Amino acid sequence: MTLTVRFLTKRYIGEYDHQTDNRYKNEVMVDNEPVLFEIIDTCIKSHTEFLKDEVLTWADGFMLVYSIIDKSSFAYLREAKKHILSNRPPSPGGAQGHVPCPMVVVANKADLIHLRQVSSEDGEKLAKDHDAAFLEVAASEHVDQVADAFYELCREVHTYRRRSKQSLLDRLKYGAKNSRGEGKKKAEN
């Protein structure tokens, strides 16, 4: 919730009573284009709870946030990412669990380097495993870093939509074969 409020209001509020999922809507400029952000800031109550099906279906992209000073938040994020990939409904022309999904992995509390429990390299590897962007931010100190994380997710969603649109055009044009003439089995891998 800290990142969402920081992004939307430019204010840092350190303590939250985070008992429910919160929805926000705000229009901002990204790369000189107006973008309407609709954000569900989820309230996960335990490390065994994951996103609900309606959130998995609704979301165009996911910002996965962990604290660099909390190794258990990083371990949870690994499992949450697996959950998203295996439970998100497949996009048009894709197979469940095999379709890239727009994601950004964000390591928060970068200002508390002296308390670091999760290395930058571990965060980068987690992101790279699924072609996600990776950023380290200090929400308490740098509103621009937080905004950059949201802007990057927006760019990832736009890139994914362009690829999906091209994929749809290719499927319509070539039937079960993709634009390179490869069969359906190859396209699913």
Side-chain angles (χ1 to χ4, degrees), residues 57-182:
T57 303
W58 177 85
D60 290 327
F62 299 90
M63 181 174 291
L64 306 175
V65 182
Y66 68 93
S67 167
I68 69 163
I69 66 169
D70 182 2
K71 197 167 190 109
S72 68
S73 72
F74 184 73
Y76 171 78
L77 197 75
R78 283 183 193 269
E79 296 306 312
K81 191 171 185 188
K82 288 178 192 174
H83 175 79
I84 291 167
L85 292 173
S86 62
N87 291 291
R88 180 178 164 90
S91 298
Q96 190 166 349
H98 296 284
V99 178
C101 175
M103 290 187 197
V104 173
V105 175
V106 178
N108 192 21
K109 301 190 181 179
D111 54 317
L112 301 177
I113 196 84
H114 59 287
L115 299 174
R116 183 184 285 273
Q117 293 180 7
V118 181
S119 71
S120 296
E121 293 79 17
D122 287 343
E124 289 171 356
K125 183 178 180 338
L126 177 65
K128 186 177 179 184
D129 286 346
H130 293 287
D131 294 324
F134 173 74
L135 295 96
E136 282 199 352
V137 304
S140 64
E141 295 184 2
H142 301 287
V143 68
D144 291 340
Q145 290 178 345
V146 174
D148 287 345
F150 280 91
Y151 297 163
E152 184 59 33
L153 180 58
C154 179
R155 290 181 193 106
E156 294 287 326
V157 168
H158 283 202
T159 298
Y160 181 76
R161 285 181 177 169
R162 282 192 296 273
R163 280 192 303 230
S164 295
K165 187 184 285 186
Q166 184 60 45
S167 176
L168 174 61
L169 293 173
D170 289 345
R171 286 193 311 278
L172 291 173
K173 186 174 181 180
Y174 296 104
K177 297 185 178 222
N178 65 23
S179 62
R180 293 180 301 269
E182 297 166 338

Side-chain angles (χ1 to χ4, degrees), residues 17-36:
D17 182 23
H18 199 179
Q19 299 296 320
T20 61
D21 294 350
N22 292 303
R23 290 182 182 245
Y24 304 93
K25 192 182 283 191
N26 193 30
E27 187 171 5
V28 297
M29 297 296 284
V30 178
D31 300 332
N32 297 318
E33 296 289 330
V35 174
L36 179 63

